Amino acid sequence: MPGQLLETVARPVLARRFRDTRARTEKLCKPLELEDYQLQSMPDCSPPKWHLAHTAWFFETFILERREPGFRPFHPQFCYLFNSYYNAVGDRWPRPARGLLSRPTVAEIYAYRRSVDERMLSLLESIDDRELAEISPILELGMYHEEQHQELLLTDLKHAFGLNPLRPRYAPPSEAPPAQAARLEWESHPADVRWIGHDGDGFAFDNEGPRHRVFLEAFDFASRPVTNGEYLDFIADDGYSRPDLWLSDGWAAKQAVGWSAPLYWHLEGSERVSFTLRGTRPLDPAEPVCHISYYEADAYARWAGARLPTEFEWEAAVGPREVRGNFLDSERFHPGAAGGSCYGDVWVWTASPYVAYPGYRPAAGALGEYNGKFMCNQMVLRGGSCATPAAHVRLTYRNFFPPDARWQFTGLRLAKDAPA
């Protein structure tokens, strides 16, 4: 299985969590106008309507189709329209064309969700304990999958709204109290053999294991993420114009697209502003720099005389800390002042390519396509962001994106080799 749930979870707990997860997705769509449901600003993004349908399709396809007596699909073509990338399930509508689907309507998509919810809850109530134990790992995977789409729904909307000259707001402006970034300090970590990966306690995606040992040389780890103010110094020092700071692929990507600042940064007269889900606001130098690619993060690290941590260094350094921070649950929808937490606000790029851990084997069948098929040309991110549900984050969680991706809430935290 691409996820694991090793302890037995009570039937009412599963049902309640299912209802809560489904309700949160729809709550995130409450501020939308009908026209917003259709937006697809680039092939990597999907319309809100598609996110709503695809997350229902997951439960219908991987649970109801296999377990519901007398199963009939809600609509015979929804499997084709809302399959994302599961080749073993069948053909699918092209991803770049999801925004062309004016039909089914938004009302029909919500009716689809209601049908799936009612049938899932009825199934949970009617099956025996043995069957419940068999579907629980898939149900848990489906709920974590929907949480991933809750984050994507917001980041995809932000990208579409950010391209609109009217710069529409997803949510009303909010006045956050002035704050200062925590002082940047360096934490020393000695050379050691460390255990990395999920230890088997509770749910995890399959790419978080198997747990294994790695040897780490001594390293220093920054106490907080890099801030907007620090990144402005990089820009002022011609950081975007110096090829010596950039990886070759990064320089080519920068040149091709014309990057000169993080995504959503703009100049209004002489003032730097940032577009957020709560509207355009003056750039706050205390906030973590956000919406940068791996290439930009790596170039900044070189400029700063440091480097990006590997995902193993990140996990070893963060290991004993509590999972706390600014997540989706706060409904801030934007990073806060850079502090000492290693979770929330912004995902941080690591220097690690997204590859399999020693001994990893994807599951057989369609669900085995969940993670393993993407282990190529991607870089690992850690820690969660202001758009990630808090319950979704844990120490071993491995997010991954191509190195030129900028529309996610991505920032950086520095590391250094320890002095000899």
Side-chain angles (χ1 to χ4, degrees), residues 287-299:
E287 292 172 356
V289 65
C290 191
H291 296 295
I292 59 172
S293 66
Y294 171 82
Y295 296 133
E296 290 164 290
D298 181 78

Side-chain angles (χ1 to χ4, degrees), residues 235-257:
I235 294 175
D237 196 32
D238 295 324
Y240 278 89
S241 304
R242 294 170 51 184
D244 59 301
L245 298 175
W246 292 73
L247 294 168
S248 177
D249 282 352
W251 184 255
K254 182 203 77 70
Q255 294 286 84
V257 184

Side-chain angles (χ1 to χ4, degrees), residues 153-204:
L153 192 153
L154 288 176
T155 53
D156 292 359
L157 266 174
K158 183 174 182 179
H159 190 264
F161 284 0
L163 291 177
N164 189 327
L166 299 177
R167 304 275 162 76
R169 299 186 185 110
Y170 166 76
S174 64
E175 293 298 326
Q180 289 188 333
R183 179 182 175 186
L184 178 62
E185 298 177 342
W186 291 94
E187 307 165 358
S188 296
H189 296 269
D192 201 359
V193 174
R194 303 294 184 96
W195 282 99
I196 297 296
H198 193 254
D199 63 7
D201 183 17
F203 177 87

Side-chain angles (χ1 to χ4, degrees), residues 392-406:
H392 194 77
V393 178
R394 58 195 161 271
L395 175 67
T396 57
Y397 190 101
R398 305 173 77 201
N399 201 355
F400 52 92
F401 280 100
D404 61 346
R406 305 210 302 167

Side-chain angles (χ1 to χ4, degrees), residues 1-15:
M1 283 296 300
Q4 55 185 334
L5 178 68
L6 300 185
E7 71 271 18
T8 301
V9 178
R11 192 183 305 254
V13 174
L14 278 173

